[in-house]
Amino acid sequence: MPISSVSAGGQPPVVVIGAGPVGLAAAAQLVARGIEPLVLEAGPAAGTAVRAWAHVRLFSPWSEVVDPAAEKLLAPTGWVRPDGTACPTGGDWAERYLQPLADVLGDRVRYGTSVTGVARAGRDRVVDAGREERPFTVHTLGTDGREERITARAVIDASGTWSTPGPLGADGLPALGEKAAADRISYRVPDLADPAVRARYAGRRTAVVGSGASAFTALAGLADLAAGEPGTHALWILRRGLGAHTFGGGEADQLPARGALGLRARAAVEEGRASAVTGFRTRAVERDGDRLVLVAEDGRRLEPVDEVIVLTGFRPDLSFLSEVRLGLDERLQAPVALAPLIDPNVHSCGTVYPHGVTELTHPEQGLYLAGMKSYGRAPTFLAMTGYEQVRSLAAAIAGDREAAERVELTLPETGVCGGSGLYDAPAPSDEGAGCCGAPAAEAR
């Protein structure tokens, strides 16, 4: 399906950064409105970031992770959505939905293309004169080393946050010695079904740093490994204390898969295959021969470990947006109007209402952050919330303001969990407190 750099209406395309779930949904929504998209993907295939956690299962079922406009685009090919009640793995999501969708979009998706900069054509971020009349220019770098400038009528950045995981250091910066110990530190949930990865952790002592679903997944996996590999042990590092809701909602969780995961993590601790260290905020990593010693801000030193898995969340890469004018919350790095809905400093459990162009608009008109990237450093994101975002943005770009401002999605209450702001506070202990009894989904 060849495309030119100018749409049938004589306008440049809308550039979408990232061929992940929300980026491809944005393209499908734009096509449905007769607007030509151009999706730029740094990786070699659709859902490159999703494929990196192919072994991890989503909490959301297929019925909630397929965009309606995308499904309409796929229908003529004979594509049928998988069982709506089943929860796919990342690999399932990429192979059975994202790649077929990208294939339908054809040449509208360009792989091996990294975005290195976005600006107004002929205007840096300082210049006011004639700014909004100018199109965007998107600078790219191909895997072959070729540089290009692409003209765009609007830009939707759905590049996610996967490439910028949070560090081990409790102050948001890498701990002293963290970079030097990179050979012993991972920032991803390990795929213990992979023999090489399994060998890395089998019979060893591993520190798992983090308190969210990714940490639960790593703990549960290491506990299973310990059952068959003597000497395997996980040390769970928490920046706050243990409480009634540390392990989630259990059997009361409205997302059964998430509740079951929390119960597995609890069992790992109670059965001694993992041990918890609370109130530990890492300041430094020191070498002890081939092992590592974690040192806390309060001076505590842990017994040496062989490996460290850091699962402290993600943050947006804003480096290539330095020449456009963003309106971001100073704490979360999310759009100013969206931040209060998702801020974990304000509430440990809250309702993330469906939102669109109103909450996602920046001072730079026609530039939008969508999907995980729009959440900045906030930890919980629903795929279908992202789909509603790009439905609204496509309507706004098409000039249909009424549709852009209309909410077309009804969500159950979803908890805003984790974050960095409240880790020193004790976990809630009153009945119904915390946020793990409400639905959420990891769709990173």
Side-chain angles (χ1 to χ4, degrees):
M1 192 180 293
I3 95 167
S4 65
S5 60
V6 178
S7 67
Q11 294 195 64
V14 173
V15 166
V16 178
I17 306 174
V22 175
L24 292 174
Q29 294 283 353
L30 290 165
V31 168
R33 291 221 169 235
I35 298 171
E36 199 65 26
L38 177 59
V39 182
L40 304 178
E41 167 58 45
T48 297
V50 174
R51 293 172 190 272
W53 48 268
H55 57 293
V56 178
R57 190 168 298 281
L58 278 73
F59 296 140
S60 296
W62 275 109
S63 61
E64 296 179 2
V65 297
V66 173
D67 175 67
E71 190 163 11
K72 290 180 181 178
L73 199 59
L74 283 163
T77 70
W79 184 87
V80 177
R81 185 174 65 192
D83 176 11
T85 63
C87 295
T89 62
D92 294 335
W93 205 15
E95 289 296 335
R96 302 177 66 183
Y97 167 60
L98 299 178
Q99 193 61 58
L101 176 55
D103 292 344
V104 168
L105 290 165
D107 290 344
R108 295 183 174 101
V109 181
R110 189 179 297 179
Y111 301 110
T113 305
S114 298
V115 173
T116 58
V118 178
R120 288 285 184 180
R123 303 288 189 273
D124 63 25
R125 70 182 293 159
V126 176
V127 180
D128 290 335
R131 187 175 193 86
E132 292 189 6
E133 288 72 42
R134 305 292 296 173
F136 288 96
T137 180
V138 180
H139 290 224
T140 67
L141 177 65
T143 52
D144 59 359
R146 180 186 175 196
E147 294 181 284
E148 187 178 357
R149 292 196 339 171
I150 299 169
T151 300
R153 61 183 286 191
V155 176
I156 298 175
D157 182 358
S159 59
T161 57
W162 181 254
S163 64
T164 47
L168 174 60
D171 54 10
L173 299 173
L176 298 177
E178 180 174 347
K179 292 181 180 179
D183 61 320
R184 296 287 185 180
I185 300 177
S186 170
Y187 300 85
R188 308 290 188 236
V189 175
D191 181 3
L192 296 174
D194 182 321
V197 176
R198 187 181 182 88
R200 176 174 179 174
Y201 297 100
R204 299 194 175 193
R205 180 177 164 89
T206 300
V208 177
V209 185
S211 61
S214 294
F216 288 174
T217 303
L219 285 170
L222 290 170
D224 290 345
L225 182 61
E229 295 284 352
T232 303
H233 188 78
L235 192 66
W236 186 22
I237 311 298
L238 291 146
R239 292 174 179 170
R240 66 179 181 185
L242 291 173
H245 292 273
T246 299
F247 297 97
E251 294 178 359
D253 199 310
Q254 294 183 44
L255 287 174
R258 183 178 60 186
L261 179 61
L263 291 174
R264 288 180 64 197
R266 179 191 290 274
V269 173
E270 293 179 345
E271 294 169 6
R273 287 176 287 175
S275 52
V277 178
T278 60
F280 193 97
R281 302 179 70 86
T282 307
R283 176 179 63 82
V285 183
E286 298 179 358
R287 288 276 188 178
D288 182 1
D290 290 334
R291 309 181 86 192
L292 302 178
V293 174
L294 302 186
V295 183
E297 295 280 358
D298 61 11
R300 280 184 293 165
R301 301 169 64 86
L302 299 182
E303 291 295 318
V305 297
D306 299 289
E307 300 285 344
V308 179
I309 300 172
V310 181
L311 301 168
T312 56
F314 297 84
R315 54 187 59 178
D317 176 8
L318 302 170
S319 61
F320 57 85
L321 301 176
S322 62
E323 294 306 314
V324 289
R325 299 173 179 180
L326 300 177
L328 298 177
D329 177 79
E330 62 185 10
R331 295 159 297 173
L332 294 186
Q333 296 177 297
V336 170
L338 175 60
L341 302 180
I342 60 177
D343 188 352
N345 286 292
V346 176
H347 43 81
S348 61
C349 182
T351 300
V352 179
Y353 301 99
H355 51 275
V357 67
T358 300
E359 293 81 5
L360 299 175
T361 295
H362 292 274
E364 198 74 74
Q365 298 296 310
L367 174 74
Y368 307 99
L369 309 185
M372 274 298 302
K373 190 159 187 177
S374 72
Y375 272 42
R377 298 192 184 198
T380 303
F381 178 76
L382 287 164
M384 57 183 175
T385 300
Y387 297 158
E388 173 68 1
Q389 285 181 342
V390 295
R391 181 207 62 77
S392 173
L393 295 182
I397 292 169
D400 188 349
R401 195 72 191 186
E402 188 277 331
E405 295 179 354
R406 183 176 65 242
V407 175
E408 295 189 1
L409 173 67
T410 300
L411 285 174
E413 287 191 350
T414 176
V416 181
C417 305
S420 60
L422 299 177
Y423 277 139
D424 280 335
S429 59
D430 53 309
E431 190 68 26
C435 45
C436 295
E442 292 232 329
R444 301 177 186 229

